[in-house]
Amino acid sequence: MAKYSSKINKIRTFALSLIFVGFIIMYFGIFFRTHFLVMSIFMIFGLLAIIASTVVYFWIGMLSTRAVQVVCPNCKKPTKILGRVDMCMHCNEPLTLDPNLEGKEFDENYNRKSQTTKL
């Protein structure tokens, strides 16, 4: 079985990884100190990765404000749901707001548009 996590947490993890990738790219630029143009290109690409991370963080923040907040039946903590099915941010309990999906095994494909017509 694949490891699932909350969609909001997945996007936040991606944004955090963009920051580290940006710093690593900039660090490689230091090895080319004698070649100003190559060093500048590495620094600019690293900066673009960090700016992309800022954009992703802003986007997920806006998306998080519109997410439906529910109380997880397993851990009793408030969590946010994006889409038809999602996982609890705290205990990874599968959650859904769709009564047709209650009792079914968790599958992220239920959130795809093409899947909604097949139910």
Side-chain angles (χ1 to χ4, degrees):
M1 182 175 163
K3 183 179 180 318
Y4 297 108
S5 70
S6 168
K7 284 190 263 313
I8 292 175
N9 285 345
K10 282 182 185 178
I11 298 171
R12 286 179 181 159
T13 302
F14 172 71
L16 182 63
S17 65
L18 273 177
I19 290 174
F20 288 116
V21 167
F23 282 130
I24 290 170
I25 292 171
M26 291 171 125
Y27 184 73
F28 283 132
I30 293 174
F31 293 121
F32 298 100
R33 275 183 267 173
T34 56
H35 305 287
F36 180 75
L37 182 63
V38 176
M39 181 187 75
S40 297
I41 289 172
F42 274 102
M43 294 294 173
I44 289 172
F45 280 141
L47 182 65
L48 288 176
I50 293 172
I51 289 172
S53 169
T54 305
V55 170
V56 171
Y57 269 122
F58 180 77
W59 173 69
I60 194 60
M62 291 290 105
L63 197 60
S64 180
T65 60
R66 292 185 290 147
V68 178
Q69 189 169 2
V70 298
V71 176
C72 176
N74 189 29
C75 66
K76 308 293 189 244
K77 293 181 181 177
T79 188
K80 294 181 179 180
I81 296 179
L82 288 177
R84 295 175 69 200
V85 293
D86 203 355
M87 299 296 264
C88 175
M89 292 181 180
H90 309 286
C91 67
N92 288 337
E93 175 78 15
L95 301 171
T96 183
L97 294 175
D98 190 350
N100 296 331
L101 298 177
E102 295 226 4
K104 291 187 179 180
E105 190 170 338
F106 181 80
D107 189 5
E108 288 182 333
N109 292 330
Y110 289 138
N111 289 324
R112 296 211 170 99
K113 296 252 187 226
S114 63
Q115 187 70 23
T116 58
T117 57
K118 294 179 184 177
L119 293 176

